[in-house]
Amino acid sequence: LLEKMADVSLKEAALIVGVVAACYWNSLFCGFVFDDVSAILDNKDLHPSTPLKNLFQNDFWGTPMSEERSHKSYRPLTVLTFRLNYLFSELNAVSYHFLNLVFHAVVCVVFLKVCKLFLDNRSSVVASLLFAVHPIHTEAVTGVVGRAELLSSIFFLAAFLSYTKSKGPDNTIVWTPIAVTVFLVAVATLCKEQGITVVGICCVYEVFIAQGYTLPVLLDTAVQILRGKGSIPFSMLQTLLKLIVLMFSTLLLVVVRVQVIQSQLPVFTRFDNPAAVSPSPARQLTFNYLLPVNAWLLLNPSELCCDWTMGTIPLVESLLDVRNVATLTFFCFLGSLIVFSLRYPGDSSKTVLMALCLIVLPFIPASNLFFPVGFVVAERVLYVPSMGFCILVAHGWKKLSNKSVLRKVSWVCLAAVLFTHALKTLHRNWDWESEYTLFMSALKVNKNNAKLWNNVGHALENEKNFERALQFFIQATQVQPDDIGAHMNVGRTYKNLNKTKEAEESYMIAKSLMPQIIPGKKYAARVAPNHLNVYINLANLIRANESRLEEADQLYRQAISMRPDFKQAYISRGELLLKMNKPLKAKEAYLKALELDRTNADLWYNLAIVYIELKDPTEALKNFNRALELNPAHKLALFNSALLMQESGDARLRPEAKQRLLHYVKEEPQDANGYFNLGMLAMDDKKDTEAEAWMKKAIRLQPNFRSALFNLALLYSQTAKELMALPVLEDLLRYYPDHTKGLILKGDILMNQKKDIVGAKMCFEKILELDPNNVQGKHNLCVVYFEERDLIKAEKCLVETLALAPHEEYIQRHLNIVRSKIASLSTTEQSSLPADGTAAAAEKKKSFQNSKEVKNEQKTPQTTVDNDKGHSKNKKLTEKNNIDKVTPKKSTKEIKDIEKKRVAALKRLEEIERILNGE
């Protein structure tokens, strides 16, 4: 490439690059807008975790080419450059815009080299400068997805330059440049489809420029041969050979391209390109009128618009339409240029011919002549055709400037055009700063395009400004009353505003606009796949009402009947069936969806959730693992599979569970749940210091994290740091005053560590206010009465507690202890009272011993812990220092083992509660 550019001086290249930088520096401050969202932000093919082969299996937007919803735009090399951007800067828009600016500068410099083949140096620089500053290019340069045009243009021009070297001395054929040309054409086509049109330009160049034929000469030769008065000249045979090689290679590329799209054209609707579905003559008249519209944009780029679909350009439905005059004028002018360039020899006609080739041939794929496209007008597809336009302008300027009378005027006009175009480009770049600025600028040009109103609404919706978004969506429905998508947008916004009734009405209108099923006609070919989402959205709305679940299911089934390959309908129906407590049917729905797409990590994740509902944790874990194989960063799969491993009780799974949670917190550093569960794992592994650190991290992120607060307090309690637990419990009870286990733990610490009987009593009384039948709280209040030496009240309290839990042996035992104490005190009082307070001291000691029992009891939950967790209903009392020695004294080791089991049981219960409560 450097050798080809050898005759472009460094000064000229620097001038071109400097002008490009001056015009496009502010594009670096723009974000991802419009099509960039689908091609960059939502495209998984950019992620390093996606296999490189996917780039060659999917379309430009990351959709598999085999899917009907694919746009069939196959540009893997362009996506590869996006992937390189992502590798270095992920989703930092600056690097993407900078690379686009660099590519545009490269195109301008290579274009200068091409211009020098047909123009003098000064005119070539003028053409290149005009190309560099032309405002029509802002969509291709400032819009990141326009990189397809830029890359394709680089290889397009390089292929042409290579072909110009295929003519050797004495008109011999040099095959190496031809081979390079074929290779570069293939590369250009892999950047964007229009790259293949350079073959046509090479053919025209070979016949009319390299060989110097004119149309009259070719016709005379053909007539002579047909009359048998002559043979084909050797030079013409060589030319034919070269053209055959070029055409054969092109045909091969076309066959491969057709195979890639699997012989299917993309599905577009009448909203994308109204003329494509219009009857004759409106279709032909409109398509022909679009040609002068595009020419006018090149000539006068004052009113630019990012979206020319829908009602932007009304259909030309009659021969009497005044716009047909513009069409006629355009074809007359184009025809005169073609006649001039083909009929007359000379450098001027050759320049005009090559300029026309650059204008016409690259535009053919977007012209609707051979197949419909998904737009009416698109400014970015004029990127290559504008090269021919710039050559024509520069050639015309050269003619004027050579006349002494017009020389000064021509220079002044040139300077004015370059300056105003540069200013317009600079100003136009700011329109691409955000989606809101882009679509608002488009609405200033065209208010008849419902898509623009919808897109402004989407931009406002992304900013959570639903009220204003609704106004734009409603305006879209007024501009285009039969726009299904606009009514869906209105419905969704009403839903976001919690106006369910209005949302349902809008969805019903959208549903009524759907094409009706016609027997024998394929439904899929008559509707955009995304419009079928109206059934999904409506079902999702009404299923919030428990009484309408069957109605929602009917909508999902209706969508599936219309499109048996409608994957999202199966997914949404699976979620609904789970809600309806029909896990087996949900499993069927997800398995059907997996038949359509086995590479969807979300589907494997959803199937795992179904297996959890079916009480099959082994299969659930297998499906979580499949989801993670497809997407190692699948956050929900990481989190829930780690929880499943943790809940299994299998110590061998804990290291992997920890690794997944560590990966999860890396992906979601602001989610306190990840840190909390890391803390729970550390508690399982008896790593108390590590557990404390994770719990504190969770609480810092979410100060009112109920489970983290309680388990941190419990951790302090079981590691002899009861006083450190108190402030944590204060925080917990400030956020959740009715947290029963927190009140029990606080009461225990106050009674046993702080000796604050009054404070403990308040905790237990609070529990009974919340739940008068709470056995544990009532029992511990009985112990408080015992500590207060109110034995009669303690006895009455224990009798009431025993009535609540008659089968709890420890309550009966404690009641016997109290009654024994009452009896012994009665005997003592009948004899004599101690003078030195020894009995009082002994009484206090026994009270303290009994309070230790309460300490042990409070750590044991009163409910049955799930058997899945490896626990059954626990006994309620550890016999640590029994007063009446009813049972033998247990060893310290036994006591510790029982204590550990009870602590684990309570911790598991708290975790289950957290999961059930959605914390």
Side-chain angles (χ1 to χ4, degrees), residues 4 161 193 281 375 484 502 530 541 585 666 688 813:
K4 294 172 187 173
L161 286 172
E193 299 78 2
F375 53 83
I484 296 171
E502 292 87 346
N530 63 316
L541 178 71
K585 286 190 175 181
K666 183 180 178 181
D688 298 332
R813 190 168 63 252

Side-chain angles (χ1 to χ4, degrees), residues 409-475:
V409 175
S410 65
W411 277 101
V412 170
C413 289
L414 176 65
V417 167
L418 290 175
F419 182 71
T420 54
H421 276 45
L423 279 183
K424 172 66 178 176
T425 298
L426 197 64
H427 181 263
R428 174 66 174 157
N429 288 334
W430 289 121
D431 291 341
W432 292 80
E433 185 177 11
S434 68
E435 293 212 317
Y436 180 76
T437 57
L438 178 64
F439 297 126
M440 285 301 290
S441 71
L443 279 176
K444 292 175 184 176
V445 176
N446 170 34
K447 290 181 171 58
N448 296 322
N449 186 340
K451 193 173 176 182
L452 293 175
W453 293 98
N454 279 319
N455 284 333
V456 175
H458 287 311
L460 292 167
E461 189 179 31
N462 291 336
E463 296 172 0
K464 308 299 181 186
N465 191 344
F466 298 122
E467 292 286 356
R468 280 198 67 203
L470 182 61
Q471 296 173 14
F472 283 90
F473 289 141
I474 290 174
Q475 182 63 34

Side-chain angles (χ1 to χ4, degrees), residues 378-580:
E379 292 165 12
R380 62 174 175 266
V381 303
L382 293 173
Y383 189 77
V384 176
S386 68
M387 295 178 184
F389 171 78
C390 292
I391 290 175
L392 275 181
V393 172
H395 184 56
W397 174 83
K398 173 189 170 185
K399 295 288 187 183
L400 291 175
S401 63
N402 286 340
K403 297 181 180 180
S404 57
V405 180
L406 299 174
R407 183 173 299 145
K408 288 184 179 179
V409 175
S410 65
W411 277 101
V412 170
C413 289
L414 176 65
V417 167
L418 290 175
F419 182 71
T420 54
H421 276 45
L423 279 183
K424 172 66 178 176
T425 298
L426 197 64
H427 181 263
R428 174 66 174 157
N429 288 334
W430 289 121
D431 291 341
W432 292 80
E433 185 177 11
S434 68
E435 293 212 317
Y436 180 76
T437 57
L438 178 64
F439 297 126
M440 285 301 290
S441 71
L443 279 176
K444 292 175 184 176
V445 176
N446 170 34
K447 290 181 171 58
N448 296 322
N449 186 340
K451 193 173 176 182
L452 293 175
W453 293 98
N454 279 319
N455 284 333
V456 175
H458 287 311
L460 292 167
E461 189 179 31
N462 291 336
E463 296 172 0
K464 308 299 181 186
N465 191 344
F466 298 122
E467 292 286 356
R468 280 198 67 203
L470 182 61
Q471 296 173 14
F472 283 90
F473 289 141
I474 290 174
Q475 182 63 34
T477 63
Q478 293 171 354
V479 170
Q480 189 89 34
D482 58 351
D483 181 6
I484 296 171
H487 290 287
M488 289 169 63
N489 291 335
V490 171
R492 186 182 62 256
T493 310
Y494 274 130
K495 182 184 177 184
N496 288 331
L497 291 169
N498 295 319
K499 296 182 178 181
T500 308
K501 182 181 177 183
E502 292 87 346
E504 185 173 347
E505 289 173 356
S506 296
Y507 284 141
M508 290 302 291
I509 294 172
K511 182 171 171 281
S512 69
L513 293 170
M514 294 288 287
Q516 299 303 307
I517 298 176
I518 301 173
K521 187 167 184 180
K522 189 180 178 185
Y523 188 84
R526 300 166 49 245
V527 65
N530 63 316
H531 282 172
L532 280 171
N533 284 324
V534 67
Y535 294 96
I536 307 298
N537 294 346
L538 182 57
N540 290 346
L541 178 71
I542 66 175
R543 79 183 196 185
N545 185 341
E546 295 288 338
S547 65
R548 301 181 70 184
L549 297 182
E550 289 292 345
E551 187 181 345
D553 189 33
Q554 175 62 31
L555 285 166
Y556 292 136
R557 283 184 278 135
Q558 188 175 354
I560 290 169
S561 69
M562 291 178 171
R563 285 287 299 268
D565 62 343
F566 190 15
K567 180 178 63 182
Q568 188 56 47
Y570 291 107
I571 295 172
S572 297
R573 184 166 185 247
E575 293 169 0
L576 176 67
L577 290 168
L578 272 180
K579 186 176 182 180
M580 296 169 73

Side-chain angles (χ1 to χ4, degrees), residues 670-686:
Q670 299 303 310
D671 185 1
N673 286 293
Y675 301 104
F676 167 74
N677 282 284
L678 280 166
M680 297 301 288
L681 272 177
M683 288 177 75
D684 287 343
D685 289 333
K686 311 301 179 188

Side-chain angles (χ1 to χ4, degrees), residues 13 59-60 96 125 128 142 189 235 328 349 368 423 474 478 486 501 544 570 574 645 726 791 798 812 852 855 894:
D59 67 13
F60 187 51
Y96 294 80
V125 172
S128 186
T142 310
T189 307
S235 61
L328 190 61
S349 60
N368 289 283
L423 279 183
I474 290 174
Q478 293 171 354
K501 182 181 177 183
Y570 291 107
M645 292 174 173
L726 272 180
L791 300 181
L798 285 167
Q812 180 65 60
K852 288 293 183 184
K855 176 182 178 182
E894 286 175 313

Side-chain angles (χ1 to χ4, degrees), residues 188-457:
T189 307
L190 290 174
C191 294
K192 192 177 180 185
E193 299 78 2
Q194 69 183 27
I196 201 169
T197 60
V198 72
V199 173
I201 295 173
C202 291
C203 290
V204 173
Y205 173 83
E206 177 64 33
V207 174
F208 296 100
I209 309 299
Q211 301 301 328
Y213 296 122
T214 61
L215 193 58
V217 171
L218 290 175
L219 290 174
D220 287 343
T221 305
V223 169
Q224 294 296 325
I225 293 170
L226 289 173
R227 289 178 177 176
K229 295 182 179 180
S231 60
I232 303 175
F234 179 72
S235 61
M236 192 171 286
L237 285 173
Q238 285 187 309
T239 301
L240 282 173
L241 181 60
K242 292 171 73 174
L243 296 183
I244 288 170
V245 170
L246 275 180
M247 297 308 293
F248 179 77
S249 61
T250 304
L251 183 63
L252 189 63
L253 284 173
V254 170
V255 169
V256 171
R257 184 69 173 82
V258 170
Q259 289 297 314
V260 166
I261 67 172
Q262 300 183 1
S263 303
Q264 291 180 336
L265 289 175
V267 176
F268 296 118
T269 68
R270 58 192 174 86
F271 301 115
D272 299 315
N273 189 351
V277 295
S278 299
S280 299
R283 181 168 64 252
Q284 290 78 14
L285 291 175
T286 304
F287 283 157
N288 282 300
Y289 172 67
L290 294 179
L291 299 177
V293 169
N294 281 281
W296 180 251
L297 286 174
L298 290 173
L299 194 61
N300 179 29
S302 58
E303 291 189 339
L304 300 177
C305 181
C306 63
D307 194 316
W308 294 80
T309 55
M310 303 187 85
T312 303
I313 299 176
L315 296 174
V316 181
E317 298 179 296
S318 167
L319 290 170
L320 299 177
D321 193 312
V322 70
R323 289 175 293 174
N324 290 319
V325 175
T327 305
L328 190 61
T329 304
F330 170 78
F331 278 109
C332 287
F333 181 71
L334 183 64
S336 63
L337 288 177
I338 292 173
V339 170
F340 169 77
S341 61
L342 293 177
R343 185 171 182 178
Y344 302 105
D347 292 340
S348 182
S349 60
K350 291 179 180 178
T351 301
V352 172
L353 178 62
M354 293 312 299
L356 289 175
C357 286
L358 281 168
I359 293 172
V360 174
L361 294 179
F363 186 74
I364 286 176
S367 66
N368 289 283
L369 293 177
F370 299 105
F371 47 83
V373 294
F375 53 83
V376 178
V377 173
E379 292 165 12
R380 62 174 175 266
V381 303
L382 293 173
Y383 189 77
V384 176
S386 68
M387 295 178 184
F389 171 78
C390 292
I391 290 175
L392 275 181
V393 172
H395 184 56
W397 174 83
K398 173 189 170 185
K399 295 288 187 183
L400 291 175
S401 63
N402 286 340
K403 297 181 180 180
S404 57
V405 180
L406 299 174
R407 183 173 299 145
K408 288 184 179 179
V409 175
S410 65
W411 277 101
V412 170
C413 289
L414 176 65
V417 167
L418 290 175
F419 182 71
T420 54
H421 276 45
L423 279 183
K424 172 66 178 176
T425 298
L426 197 64
H427 181 263
R428 174 66 174 157
N429 288 334
W430 289 121
D431 291 341
W432 292 80
E433 185 177 11
S434 68
E435 293 212 317
Y436 180 76
T437 57
L438 178 64
F439 297 126
M440 285 301 290
S441 71
L443 279 176
K444 292 175 184 176
V445 176
N446 170 34
K447 290 181 171 58
N448 296 322
N449 186 340
K451 193 173 176 182
L452 293 175
W453 293 98
N454 279 319
N455 284 333
V456 175

